[in-house]
Amino acid sequence: MSHSITKICEDFLSELNQAIGEQSADSIFVLTDENTRKFCLPLALKSPKLEGCHIICIPSGDENKNINSAVEIWKYLSENGATRKSLLISLGGGMITDIGGFTASTFKRGMRYINVSTTLLGAVDAATGGKTGINFLGLKNEIGVFAPAETVLINIDFFKTLDDANLRSGYAEMVKHALIDTREEWERVLKYDLEKLDFIELKELLARSIRIKERVVEQDPFEANIRKALNLGHTFGHAFESWSYKIENPVLHGYAVMWGLLCELYLSFVKLNFPKDELLRLKYLTKEFYGTFEFSCQEYDALFELMTHDKKNDSKEINFTLLANVGDIHINQTATKEEIFECFDFFREG
Ligand code: GLY
């Protein structure tokens, strides 16, 4: 599988024109949600290459990254003459780029697609690396394929329409990338001031963060081994996120990841002697900027059950990526139910 190079745009419209021009598509479809249609599409439509394009709009929110929305997209493509030579541009956050990539790569066995990420979370993670999918039966990304975008474009100006919570949600994945990389990167990311949100500094940190992901994906596009490093924080994180949907009090993905990182660094401390002072730095950051996820011991079994369904598991055992130190990655780790419950206790202690 060849990999797209993610571009952080200096001049969004000319880079978008160029990316579309390179594809010589017979027709162009732009996938948006209600938010990106309002806030981001008007700028994209200034591109002469998008004159006469088809616009598809689906409801926003991860709860709509489902089979019904996928059917709507396939139906629209089919009824409006899309072919294998057509191009889909997914304009949105991770929800849109995931479902856009999935529907494009399965339509007539695959049409090309470009991701234009409009959120920090999407830019740092979902848009890059070729993972596409939809949620199914309450499980995150249960159905999907690996299929890389032709190009991934990031326009930092779109992030200015995001609130603090959504920016923090994206920053959580940057924390994850730093933790699997080097101590220098971890220090650099920790120094970023989440109260001030300097976009120039953020752009530089984001570029570094995306390169970390691209280096990992290049080595292991289909997640047979080292790509599992990118799952750090996500075994607990996905359980928190799925549970939040079940109890109809949804949390942002990055918040669930940050809470998951805290649990998994604690597990790393217990099992691999991960340094306690670094664990406490993460704990401080989490409590300060991400608050907590409320649950009681009565919910432990349900959360554990969600973790056993995680697609990262190989057999009956729950699969974790843990760290012996910053950048010292140990994939394919397991833990007992008691150890997992101990992490819940640590998390709830505050
Ligand atoms: N989100 C993790 C990965 O792309 O592998």
Side-chain angles (χ1 to χ4, degrees), residues 125 128-129 131 173 176 213 217 223 227 230-231 234:
D125 189 26
T128 300
K131 276 189 182 175
E173 292 283 1
K176 178 197 79 179
K213 175 160 185 179
V217 173
E223 200 173 291
R227 185 166 181 169
L230 297 171
N231 295 334
H234 283 64

Side-chain angles (χ1 to χ4, degrees), residues 238-256:
H238 276 160
F240 291 146
E241 194 175 4
S242 299
W243 186 248
S244 81
Y245 278 95
K246 224 171 209 150
I247 60 172
E248 293 181 8
N249 191 12
V251 298
L252 292 173
H253 176 72
Y255 278 61

Side-chain angles (χ1 to χ4, degrees), residues 231-302:
N231 295 334
L232 182 68
H234 283 64
T235 308
F236 277 89
H238 276 160
F240 291 146
E241 194 175 4
S242 299
W243 186 248
S244 81
Y245 278 95
K246 224 171 209 150
I247 60 172
E248 293 181 8
N249 191 12
V251 298
L252 292 173
H253 176 72
Y255 278 61
V257 167
M258 200 61 149
W259 299 325
L261 283 172
L262 187 55
C263 291
E264 291 178 26
L265 284 200
Y266 178 73
L267 191 59
S268 298
F269 161 71
V270 170
K271 294 181 75 82
L272 299 173
N273 221 8
F274 181 83
K276 190 161 188 189
D277 47 348
E278 303 303 342
L279 170 66
L280 295 179
R281 289 172 90 189
L282 185 82
K283 182 170 177 170
Y284 177 77
L285 175 75
T286 309
K287 299 289 159 194
E288 182 80 4
F289 293 102
Y290 295 81
T292 192
F293 183 64
E294 298 287 348
F295 60 99
S296 71
C297 336
Q298 259 110 53
E299 269 98 56
Y300 283 20
D301 277 315

Side-chain angles (χ1 to χ4, degrees), residues 317-331:
E317 301 217 292
I318 300 175
N319 189 293
F320 291 97
T321 295
L322 300 178
L323 299 179
N325 210 325
V326 175
D328 187 355
I329 302 157
H330 290 242
I331 61 170

